[in-house]
Amino acid sequence: MLQNIRDKVLSGQRLSKEDAVRLFESDDIFTLGKLASYVAKKKNGNKAYFIRNIHINPTNICVNRCKFCAFSRSKGEAGAYELSIKEIIKKLQPQASSLQPFTEVHITGGLHPDWPFEYYLKMLSKIKEAFPKIHIKAFTATEIEYFAKISGQSIRNVLLELKKQGLNTMPGGGAEIFDMGVRNQLCPEKLSSYGWLAVMEIAHKAGIKTNATMLYGHIENYEQRIDHLLRLRELQDMTNGFQAFIPLAYHPKNTEIGGSYSSGIDDLKTIAISRLILDNFSHIKAYWIMLGEKISQLALLFGADDIDGTIIEEKITHSAGALSSKGLAADELKNMIKKAGKIPVERDSFYRKVH
Ligand code: V47
């Protein structure tokens, strides 16, 4: 049944929306895995990447109330927190963790009602002052749009100012699902799908590479996932500014919409179909925090070529019931990759080999 799609993949032809529908409706995950693996090998050989990174969430106080998010709090609510710049720097100190040294810090947090844009600029410049070599991957498109709003500046200016203070690349969060019907049910206050894509386009044109994500497994259907992937593929054709795509498996605990965890089959299908549809993305990331270590290993046989990194202290998914550890040592990541039959490659933030 997938013969025609197989022929297209093997001859390097782009898959259509109809092909994507057939792939999602198919139960033949073995063929799907083989095809996605074929594409992944063509792009990245037998390599699987990991990075020594740390996640820092400066605050969970957020003016938005996304119904899938278990991390955010209102100001004054129990569990709300704010980190000072000193506390952030302390988390990055070598002695703060036995899993050092990091090459990248990933920063994202709530949309704080009172912090001015200058606070974020200072945060980056102080981090760079203390750790000149660290790569700063910070702030989702949602945060960038919020900074523009609170500072009265254009998106482009906000990005250029952040870049001047040390921003190197941006993570892919906040994309959720682009279909506005679903988006309005999940996160009516969040920037629109057009807004998300526009911020990314401006970032790419300003020379800032970013990632892209898709939150799946909540109330969306296959067609809406396909629409999301096709819109990313379209923007990537224009800018080539995305480095990696990361499908994010929805976690239901402590969220307003509840529901259930995604199945392993759905996780693998989504990774494989992403690899096949996003023919212009170099990397597909199996985020081990959300998929768990075992499904992440399998994902490496279904088209993924990256498992993210050491992370150290994950909060967003663990607030919503993630069962994985909150961080792993580089050696554990290497072993995970080796046991999946792949060659572990420690990378920097631009997928260059380190060590
Ligand atoms: O934007 C929130 C998602 C994202 C839940 O770019 C949830 O390298 C599952 O974007 N269940 C933040 N997901 C994380 C993110 C990310 C992670 C790792 C690497 C990169 C990268 C980006 O987490 C949010 C949202 O889509 N999220 N709540 C939840 N209950």
Side-chain angles (χ1 to χ4, degrees):
M1 187 198 160
L2 298 176
Q3 184 63 37
N4 170 264
I5 294 179
R6 182 176 171 273
D7 293 345
K8 275 175 127 177
V9 171
L10 297 186
S11 61
Q13 282 179 65
R14 176 161 272 193
L15 297 186
S16 65
K17 182 176 174 186
E18 292 68 38
D19 294 330
V21 173
R22 279 180 57 204
L23 290 172
F24 268 114
E25 283 174 354
S26 166
D27 288 326
D28 186 0
I29 64 157
F30 298 109
T31 300
L32 205 50
K34 271 193 195 149
L35 291 179
S37 224
Y38 168 82
V39 175
K41 273 195 184 149
K42 238 173 56 175
K43 289 187 182 285
N44 294 292
N46 219 19
K47 293 185 286 231
Y49 296 96
F50 71 96
I51 187 166
R52 286 175 211 252
N53 63 353
I54 176 168
H55 278 204
I56 293 193
N57 309 116
T59 182
N60 61 353
I61 299 177
C62 192
V63 297
N64 284 356
R65 268 287 163 278
C66 301
K67 296 184 173 59
F68 54 79
C69 181
F71 168 70
S72 68
R73 295 286 182 277
S74 295
K75 208 176 155 187
E77 194 182 334
Y81 75 85
E82 299 169 338
L83 297 181
S84 66
I85 294 175
K86 260 196 188 152
E87 286 169 319
I88 292 174
I89 301 280
K90 201 167 156 208
K91 280 182 185 286
L92 293 169
Q93 299 289 353
Q95 65 271 24
S97 158
S98 55
L99 309 175
Q100 273 282 318
F102 322 112
T103 59
E104 176 188 280
V105 56
H106 172 143
I107 307 174
T108 183
L111 309 180
H112 195 287
D114 307 325
W115 286 356
F117 179 44
E118 288 68 31
Y119 185 74
Y120 301 92
L121 293 174
K122 193 169 165 199
M123 187 186 294
L124 299 194
S125 71
K126 289 283 175 196
I127 291 174
K128 275 280 152 120
E129 193 182 301
F131 308 98
K133 283 196 192 144
I134 208 162
H135 177 107
I136 303 183
K137 178 175 85 177
F139 309 131
T140 63
T142 306
E143 289 161 285
I144 299 295
E145 193 249 5
Y146 185 66
F147 298 161
K149 199 157 105 189
I150 59 174
S151 68
Q153 296 190 47
S154 67
I155 302 280
R156 189 178 138 80
N157 272 356
V158 162
L159 288 167
L160 293 178
E161 291 269 310
L162 289 167
K163 200 175 169 192
K164 228 191 284 170
Q165 301 309 322
L167 178 82
N168 297 111
T169 55
M170 283 166 58
E176 322 312 356
I177 277 280
F178 291 148
D179 179 275
M180 282 309 289
V182 175
R183 201 173 180 87
N184 282 334
Q185 284 181 63
L186 289 181
C187 44
E189 300 134 318
K190 195 165 228 158
L191 93 163
S192 68
S193 38
Y194 296 104
W196 190 94
L197 290 161
V199 171
M200 289 310 194
E201 184 178 341
I202 298 167
H204 296 168
K205 288 182 175 162
I208 300 168
K209 294 273 183 194
T210 76
N211 287 338
T213 59
M214 169 177 75
L215 182 66
Y216 69 92
H218 38 85
I219 57 168
E220 89 295 356
N221 59 32
Y222 286 154
E223 212 172 293
Q224 288 149 350
R225 286 191 206 177
I226 295 165
D227 165 69
H228 191 98
L229 295 174
L230 293 178
R231 289 210 231 178
L232 288 174
R233 187 169 79 180
E234 197 182 334
L235 180 56
Q236 180 75 331
D237 274 342
M238 274 171 59
T239 64
N240 200 29
F242 290 117
Q243 297 209 100
F245 175 69
I246 310 134
L248 300 174
Y250 171 63
H251 283 57
K253 269 203 177 166
N254 309 316
T255 66
E256 197 177 324
I257 50 169
S260 49
Y261 289 90
S262 58
S263 71
I265 299 284
D266 198 20
D267 293 335
L268 294 176
K269 241 187 183 180
T270 307
I271 288 272
I273 296 171
S274 305
R275 178 60 290 167
L276 291 170
I277 297 298
L278 297 176
D279 53 5
N280 51 5
F281 276 63
S282 297
H283 304 286
I284 302 291
K285 196 187 276 191
Y287 185 37
W288 67 265
I289 287 276
M290 289 196 188
L291 296 180
E293 293 168 46
K294 293 184 179 183
I295 292 289
S296 297
Q297 278 178 311
L298 287 173
L300 294 176
L301 307 178
F302 278 75
D305 61 278
D306 183 357
I307 55 166
D308 205 281
T310 44
I311 314 282
I312 315 291
E313 191 191 19
E314 205 283 331
K315 289 186 195 291
I316 299 176
T317 328
H318 283 83
S319 311
L323 303 169
S324 54
S325 344
K326 290 189 173 179
L328 283 176
D331 279 346
E332 292 175 294
L333 295 174
K334 258 191 239 170
N335 274 335
M336 224 166 108
I337 293 171
K338 273 191 201 156
K339 285 183 180 162
K342 298 278 168 179
I343 305 162
V345 177
E346 183 180 341
R347 66 169 176 88
D348 70 5
S349 306
F350 294 110
Y351 287 84
R352 292 173 301 211
K353 188 177 170 177
V354 296
H355 298 313

